């Protein structure tokens, strides 16, 4: 009888111990930019190479679980190396994308995260946005513009040309201020933003501003110290590629 009692007690201790070491599902985050939370869109040159860093950060749960990241649904013409990677978080890995004369546009792909303690994987949908290595080149040629200013609204035409370096556009007849007015616009393809450093344009005005852009349109908020009709004004311009 005593042996049976000892056996039962031992079994209970072992069972309790097993319960204590039961794996808890891993909790983690996946980001592809040190300054953001979540997985964001990626801009790729139409011909070239781009490396995306992915950070998988451990939060809590079973500390020995690995997280495997797998890319899928890539369109023909875009390759990524490696297409999958697995390690125990926290870790950072790099995915390198390769393009060769890829058509400009937006392509949705999936980055899926798998862990042993989660039955359902996490799927992060993101866009691979293929653009010219020179974002300014998107707006070469004729542009239509709609201006909403402090005291007036109007429309006019403008022309975009090479701004002297990559990702810089020269806009002639900026703001509809005349064909002698040229303003340099600087593009940041990592976050789709535009900046216009303070500069003197052709009619003696000083112009500065910021904005955003897509593949076909720029939205620019700017201020001008004077205009052809003399008063200073603050405006929002929407430039569309014709």
């Amino acid at each position: 009888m005593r042996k049976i009692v000892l056996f039962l007690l031992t079994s209970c201790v072992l069972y309790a111990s097993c319960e204590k070491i039961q794996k808890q599902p891993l909790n983690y985050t996946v980001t592809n930019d040190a300054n953001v939370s979540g997985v964001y869109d990626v801009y790729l040159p139409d011909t070239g190479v781009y490396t995306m860093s992915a950070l998988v950060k451990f939060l809590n749960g079973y500390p020995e679980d690995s997280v495997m990241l797998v890319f899928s649904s890539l369109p023909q013409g875009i390759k990524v190396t490696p297409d999958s990677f697995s390690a125990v978080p926290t870790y950072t890995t790099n995915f390198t994308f390769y393009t060769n004369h890829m058509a400009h546009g937006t392509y949705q792909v999936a980055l899926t995260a798998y862990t042993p303690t989660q039955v359902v994987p996490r799927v992060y949908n993101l866009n691979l946005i293929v653009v010219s290595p020179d974002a300014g080149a998107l707006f070469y040629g004729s542009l239509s513009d709609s201006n909403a200013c402090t005291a007036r609204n109007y429309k006019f035409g403008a022309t975009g040309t090479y701004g002297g370096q990559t990702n810089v556009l020269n806009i002639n007849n900026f703001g509809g201020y005349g064909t002698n007015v040229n303003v340099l616009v600087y593009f940041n393809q990592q976050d789709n933003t535009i900046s216009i450093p303070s500069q003197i344009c052709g009619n003696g005005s000083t112009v500065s501003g910021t904005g955003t852009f897509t593949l076909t349109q720029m939205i620019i908020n700017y201020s001008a110290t004077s205009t052809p009709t003399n008063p200073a004004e603050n405006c929002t311009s929407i430039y569309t590629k014709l």
Side-chain angles (χ1 to χ4, degrees):
M1 181 67 180
R2 185 180 178 185
K3 290 182 178 180
I4 294 174
V5 171
L6 288 173
F7 173 77
L8 291 173
L9 288 172
T10 303
S11 298
C12 288
V13 171
L14 291 173
Y15 178 78
S17 298
C18 291
E19 283 295 291
K20 288 180 181 178
I21 63 172
Q22 184 179 9
K23 289 185 179 182
Q24 295 298 316
L26 176 67
N27 189 20
Y28 60 93
T29 59
V30 179
T31 61
N32 63 346
D33 188 308
N35 299 317
V36 300
S37 59
V39 178
Y40 282 68
D41 295 345
V42 173
Y43 285 82
L44 306 179
D46 51 19
T47 299
V49 178
Y50 178 83
T51 298
M52 183 196 92
S53 294
L55 169 64
V56 182
K57 185 178 181 180
F58 174 85
L59 296 180
N60 53 56
Y62 188 64
E64 296 181 18
D65 260 0
S66 61
V67 176
M68 175 181 284
L69 299 179
V70 180
F71 269 103
S72 60
S73 303
L74 268 74
Q76 186 175 1
I78 299 179
K79 296 181 179 180
V80 62
T81 302
D83 58 6
S84 65
F85 184 86
S86 181
V88 174
T90 296
Y91 70 81
T92 299
T93 186
N94 293 322
F95 294 98
T96 302
F97 293 90
Y98 299 88
T99 57
N100 186 18
H101 299 292
M102 188 68 186
H104 294 177
T106 300
Y107 304 88
Q108 188 177 82
V109 300
L111 180 62
T112 305
Y114 300 89
T115 65
T117 52
Q118 290 180 325
V119 177
V120 180
R122 297 183 185 179
V123 179
Y124 302 89
N125 293 311
L126 67 150
N127 293 315
L128 301 181
I129 304 173
V130 179
V131 297
S132 167
D134 183 357
L138 295 171
F139 300 97
Y140 289 175
S142 297
L143 305 169
S144 66
D145 181 50
S146 176
N147 243 24
C149 298
T150 308
R152 57 180 182 144
N153 298 322
Y154 59 99
K155 295 182 178 181
F156 60 93
T159 304
T161 58
Y162 178 59
Q165 64 187 76
T166 301
N167 289 318
V168 180
L169 178 73
N170 177 72
I171 299 181
N172 179 255
N173 194 30
F174 181 89
Y177 297 158
T179 56
N180 63 324
V181 174
N182 293 281
V183 170
L184 294 178
V185 175
Y186 293 75
F187 294 82
N188 184 336
Q189 295 203 59
Q190 296 306 308
D191 59 6
N192 268 30
T193 58
I194 289 171
S195 64
I196 300 176
S198 181
Q199 55 195 275
I200 299 174
C201 53
N203 64 354
S205 299
T206 298
V207 175
S208 63
T210 59
T212 60
F213 72 95
T214 66
L215 295 177
T216 59
Q217 192 174 80
M218 295 178 286
I219 300 177
I220 301 176
N221 300 303
Y222 73 89
S223 61
T225 56
S226 64
T227 68
T229 56
N230 292 323
E233 60 184 0
N234 296 309
C235 303
T236 296
S237 286
I238 300 177
Y239 289 91
T240 303
K241 182 71 174 71
L242 295 177

